[in-house]
Amino acid sequence: MTSIEGVHVAAIKVTDLVKTYGEVAALKGISFEVERGEILGLLGPNGSGKTTTVTLLSTLQRPTSGSARICGDDVVAEAARVREHISLTGQYASLDEGLTTVENLSVFGRLTGLRGSRLRTRIDELAEQFDLTAVRNQRVGTLSGGMRRRVDIAGALVTRPEVLFLDEPTTGLDPRSRAAVWDTVAGLRKEGITVLLTTQYLEEADRLADRIVMLNRGTVVAAGTPGQLKKQVGAAVCEVTLVERADTARVLELLEGLELVESPADGTAAGPQAHPRLVVRAPNGMATVSGVIDRLDTAGIDVVDIGLRQPSLDEVFLQLTETV
């Protein structure tokens, strides 16, 4: 956190923020805070208000009502000061593909007032930090999608912002490139940079975010750590994959007394030859799993796999966005 004369000041503070476009309400009074050095994941389906939130916080638009402060400065009344605190990368890399990596970083620096040796030193630091040394003099248009995104994020950090907005930074990237960008974003935490990350990849938020704010239809439907949100779905479950479909009825009898979440009759099997799967609540964690193993072993039931699974962020997302 930051402080002014001993008073706590959040890196980002949003209070009853509203944004309307005519009769359409993109945001309906959202509130949340982000601490210094924290990565906040802002999640929600298309049209939930994620990008609108970023445009308001980065002073690109003005809110209809409510307020937002960045490091204590109001995004409307003190917009110029807010811009000194922040940097932003959109959904697509804002690079000149005809220029080299160093030339693009130099453009970012010059646009923000850096010149001469200070700029050259900063470019050297970023090239090393983001593993760009080998492509310093390579035209950006020849780089992979993941590498271009790393150059884009490096450009956003030329001026050492206190707050970085990343609006769906891995959209369209392959899994390997996405993982590389994840490592880059995770490293920003060590720099003490506050990151607001919008994403539709639930795995991305689960891996990177310290806390999550979930939006749906312009409202906050949930907020907390990934672990806290997963607990809202319920207890962990025990998944049992059987060898023989003929054993299904017998296993259902053996598991009587446990809450059945999913059975082969739910249509989850991939076809008549697929191994049947049953899922039961595991309120006691591994103790429940051990009990299931004992029952099946005593009855001589063969299994392909059995294990404990925690609720996923995908399940939280689907449950909360379908019921609002």
Side-chain angles (χ1 to χ4, degrees), residues 50-321:
K50 302 187 302 297
T51 297
T52 298
T53 301
V54 171
T55 59
L56 297 180
L57 294 180
S58 57
T59 75
L60 296 176
Q61 295 186 58
R62 296 167 66 99
T64 304
S65 64
S67 67
R69 291 183 174 273
I70 307 294
C71 301
D73 294 323
D74 187 272
V75 297
V76 175
E78 301 165 296
R81 287 174 58 87
V82 167
R83 294 183 193 118
E84 295 177 1
H85 298 302
I86 68 173
S87 193
L88 165 68
T89 67
Q91 296 180 20
Y92 304 99
S94 55
L95 302 170
D96 187 326
E97 296 191 350
L99 299 180
T100 67
T101 296
V102 166
E103 288 168 342
N104 269 281
L105 294 179
S106 180
V107 168
F108 280 117
R110 289 176 179 274
L111 287 173
T112 54
L114 280 180
R115 296 287 189 279
S117 60
R118 288 180 59 209
L119 176 57
R120 290 192 295 273
T121 298
R122 184 58 179 152
I123 290 174
D124 289 343
E125 292 172 349
L126 291 168
E128 182 175 354
Q129 178 181 348
F130 289 90
D131 197 21
L132 300 172
T133 302
V135 297
R136 285 176 59 99
N137 300 312
Q138 190 169 331
R139 294 188 185 280
V140 165
T142 67
L143 301 179
S144 67
M147 190 66 76
R148 284 199 299 271
R149 178 54 77 181
R150 282 157 63 185
V151 175
D152 193 38
I153 296 174
L157 297 174
V158 167
T159 56
R160 303 180 191 273
E162 295 173 75
V163 177
L164 176 63
F165 298 108
L166 294 177
D167 192 10
E168 301 191 16
T170 60
T171 296
L173 297 185
D174 62 78
R176 185 182 299 276
S177 297
R178 186 177 302 137
V181 173
W182 287 351
D183 290 340
T184 298
V185 175
L188 300 179
R189 187 186 287 107
K190 300 177 183 177
E191 302 288 316
I193 296 172
T194 302
V195 178
L196 190 149
L197 167 75
T198 75
T199 181
Q200 294 190 59
Y201 296 114
L202 282 300
E203 182 186 1
E204 183 165 273
D206 203 358
R207 174 167 172 173
L208 294 176
D210 299 301
R211 287 189 308 113
I212 289 171
V213 169
M214 197 169 289
L215 300 180
N216 193 35
R217 301 177 187 175
T219 64
V220 175
V221 295
T225 66
Q228 288 170 338
L229 295 184
K230 290 173 186 178
K231 288 181 180 178
Q232 293 187 28
V233 173
V237 296
C238 173
E239 292 186 348
V240 182
T241 305
L242 303 175
V243 173
E244 300 292 342
R245 182 169 298 276
D247 290 330
T248 301
R250 175 63 175 145
V251 171
L252 288 173
E253 291 179 5
L254 293 170
L255 299 184
E256 187 175 357
L258 295 175
E259 181 185 351
L260 185 66
V261 176
E262 182 182 307
S263 74
D266 297 329
T268 56
Q273 302 303 317
H275 294 291
R277 187 181 67 157
L278 299 95
V279 181
V280 295
R281 294 287 181 201
N284 298 317
M286 284 305 300
T288 300
V289 176
S290 296
V292 171
I293 292 174
D294 288 342
R295 297 185 197 187
L296 299 182
D297 186 52
T298 300
I301 303 294
D302 293 326
V303 301
V304 174
D305 188 38
I306 184 169
L308 183 71
R309 179 174 67 79
Q310 299 295 328
S312 69
L313 207 53
D314 297 69
E315 292 169 311
V316 177
F317 180 86
L318 290 172
Q319 177 174 301
L320 293 175
T321 57

